[in-house]
Amino acid sequence: MSTITSNKVAQFSGVAPGGLSKHLEQTGQMPKIEVFIFSRETRETRKINRFLNYNFSSSLMIPSDSFSFGFVAADGPPLNEQIKEGDIVTIKANNVQLFTGHVDQTDVETDANYGEKSQISGRDFVGQLEDQDAVSIDSTFKKADKVSVQSAVNFYLENTQLNKIVLKDAPQGSYLISCEPGETKLAVLQRFLDSVNCILWQDRLGRLCVGRPNMRQESKGTFIISRDRRKSNVISIKVTRSSTQIPNIMVPVWSGQEIVADRVPKEQRFHNAAYGPARLLKLGYRLPKCYVTSAPNADSPQGLTEVNTFTVGKGRELEAYAKRELARANIKEITVQVVVPGHFNDLGEPYQPDTMYFIDYDRGSLQRLMYCYGVEYSMDENGGQLSTLTFCRPGAIVSDIKAP
């Protein structure tokens, strides 16, 4: 393994309480980020660990996460002879893996201040699902009935770096999956998983997670800003509430029912149980919405919108689809953004999505557990290492109804 640039940094041992504090006491700085680049051509690995700036992210709500690293090139061959598009990138902090993906673009610039500057940017492996069509000369038409979620997803992972699926509270039933020419692999999988109230995302180890976020897990710690108690352990907290655009009355109907209003029984209507929309409804602020979906086993299937059914018990199938839509909308009810120094919590664990933290922010009138669905890691010469964590209220993103 060759190293483009390097510097020595003391290590804290393992993931343990106080590990990060010990490292800070010994070195006076956060653990350094290291980028390992595996060449598809030479099969060699290069390491970069001194940067002008970087930015990379991981989010459940963005299918393909991205990265960008800027650094001063060392003496030696030009950048394109060392790093090329398609090379595999692994990002680590103190030997803990944070991200993996591939290089999409390389940039080289020479100026009077820095001399030669280099930048590499790219995405995680889900980007390949975004780029590849489901039907092409190397990806033949695939259709299967009565297959598991894992088998259905596996159909579309050929020709990608995604070779391991981790099921996260995914349903155990058997389903139909199909595709059309012109659809990307990501579009097919999102449509299929949408029908069983699931999502997909790549974790920090490069595995494709398929299923439902875990909003019942224990807290990883507390983020606090309290003016009254004069206490803080973060750089900033921002709380945004925006419930006026979230439906608080939902009318779900099967396709065809919407043609004649009196075909829709009033019993199909229900209210959004989330606090913000429910509060507005009590105050007389009404935002009704109608959600239309194709009836399963309908006499006139409408293309591929009917690839699956979401049966959760007699009379609740239509409600299940509508609740899924409300869960997505409820992400906006309370959004919390926390900026902290470094990329590790007090346990020495890297910040990552699909985790829970307690938010204690008196000026934002918020003291409760929140679900972290996105983390952005950044560094520049002025601000140092920062992590920006984005939270929503538990119960958003997917509904509480699980497909069979």
Side-chain angles (χ1 to χ4, degrees):
M1 181 176 71
S2 60
T3 302
I4 294 180
T5 57
S6 65
N7 61 344
K8 294 183 179 180
V9 179
Q11 306 286 303
F12 66 83
S13 57
V15 175
L20 185 59
S21 298
K22 292 178 181 177
H23 176 82
L24 289 171
E25 290 175 2
Q26 293 172 0
T27 67
Q29 59 184 336
M30 294 292 181
K32 294 289 187 180
I33 289 289
E34 294 180 315
V35 175
F36 298 86
I37 302 171
F38 177 75
S39 169
R40 293 181 183 270
E41 291 183 355
T42 66
R43 318 303 290 179
E44 295 180 347
T45 299
R46 299 181 182 276
K47 182 174 72 173
I48 312 172
N49 59 12
R50 296 186 68 179
F51 307 98
L52 296 173
N53 54 71
Y54 62 72
N55 185 282
F56 59 102
S57 60
S58 181
S59 173
L60 275 69
M61 305 309 299
I62 301 174
S64 181
D65 297 312
S66 62
F67 67 85
S68 175
F69 284 84
F71 53 94
V72 177
D75 294 337
L79 175 68
N80 192 54
E81 294 181 16
Q82 303 182 63
I83 303 172
K84 298 187 177 182
E85 307 97 299
D87 286 351
I88 297 173
V89 173
T90 301
I91 303 172
K92 294 184 178 182
N94 208 70
N95 296 319
V96 178
Q97 187 165 323
L98 296 180
F99 186 96
T100 186
H102 60 266
V103 177
D104 280 331
Q105 180 175 309
T106 62
D107 295 275
V108 181
E109 177 185 0
T110 302
D111 65 25
N113 294 323
Y114 289 101
E116 184 179 318
K117 295 188 298 182
S118 300
Q119 180 170 301
I120 59 172
S121 56
R123 296 165 295 163
D124 65 13
F125 296 141
V126 177
Q128 294 179 307
L129 298 176
E130 195 172 34
D131 295 341
Q132 297 178 12
D133 276 359
V135 180
S136 68
I137 193 170
D138 289 321
S139 300
T140 57
F141 176 82
K142 288 184 172 61
K143 176 180 179 180
D145 195 3
K146 297 182 179 179
V147 295
S148 67
V149 168
Q150 182 163 353
S151 296
V153 174
N154 261 326
F155 284 160
Y156 296 93
L157 299 189
E158 64 180 0
N159 301 321
T160 73
Q161 296 292 136
L162 294 163
N163 52 26
K164 184 173 179 55
I165 296 175
V166 179
L167 298 182
K168 301 270 192 176
D169 194 28
Q172 301 299 312
S174 298
Y175 308 99
L176 165 69
I177 188 168
S178 186
C179 61
E180 286 184 330
E183 281 189 301
T184 66
K185 291 181 176 180
L186 181 61
V188 175
L189 292 178
Q190 286 181 317
R191 174 167 49 77
F192 168 72
L193 294 172
D194 183 58
S195 63
V196 290
N197 194 29
C198 292
I199 60 174
L200 63 80
W201 69 96
Q202 181 181 306
D203 70 7
R204 62 188 179 86
L205 300 178
R207 304 174 301 184
L208 185 65
C209 298
V210 176
R212 293 150 49 85
N214 180 9
M215 298 187 180
R216 300 181 183 273
Q217 58 188 296
E218 293 183 359
S219 172
K220 293 288 186 180
T222 298
F223 295 122
I224 180 173
I225 289 183
S226 174
R227 189 173 75 173
D228 294 340
R229 288 169 282 169
R230 304 184 64 82
K231 186 176 182 180
S232 174
N233 63 354
V234 303
I235 294 175
S236 68
I237 296 180
K238 178 182 179 181
V239 174
T240 302
R241 291 177 170 86
S242 53
S243 296
T244 61
Q245 300 177 45
I246 302 174
N248 52 23
I249 303 173
M250 180 66 80
V251 184
V253 301
W254 296 125
S255 57
Q257 282 186 305
E258 74 278 7
I259 298 174
V260 182
D262 61 9
R263 293 181 61 185
V264 181
K266 292 183 179 180
E267 291 76 14
Q268 288 182 192
R269 182 183 67 181
F270 66 93
H271 296 160
N272 189 344
Y275 172 79
R279 182 190 69 87
L280 288 172
L281 183 61
K282 290 180 180 179
L283 296 174
Y285 184 96
R286 302 168 67 86
L287 180 56
K289 288 286 186 177
C290 179
Y291 175 71
V292 182
T293 188
S294 296
N297 304 317
D299 294 333
S300 301
Q302 299 179 9
L304 289 177
T305 59
E306 188 200 319
V307 297
N308 206 353
T309 59
F310 195 169
T311 304
V312 293
K314 186 176 180 180
R316 296 192 63 207
E317 185 171 357
L318 191 57
E319 177 188 356
Y321 279 115
K323 281 191 171 182
R324 176 197 62 192
E325 297 303 306
L326 280 182
R328 294 171 179 165
N330 285 341
I331 295 174
K332 297 184 296 183
E333 181 199 358
I334 304 177
T335 303
V336 179
Q337 193 173 75
V338 178
V339 180
V340 293
H343 306 316
F344 292 85
N345 61 23
D346 289 339
L347 300 175
E349 301 171 341
Y351 297 116
Q352 57 185 306
D354 197 28
T355 53
M356 304 284 289
Y357 285 85
F358 191 86
I359 308 297
D360 186 352
Y361 180 33
D362 57 2
R363 305 308 298 170
S365 302
L366 189 66
Q367 290 85 32
R368 64 163 300 163
L369 272 174
M370 298 289 285
Y371 178 77
C372 177
Y373 65 82
V375 181
E376 181 179 356
Y377 312 86
S378 63
M379 187 278 290
D380 61 38
E381 293 180 303
N382 297 320
Q385 289 183 352
L386 299 176
S387 295
T388 303
L389 292 79
T390 306
F391 297 85
C392 65
R393 179 183 59 81
I397 300 178
V398 298
S399 77
D400 58 352
I401 299 175
K402 185 177 178 181

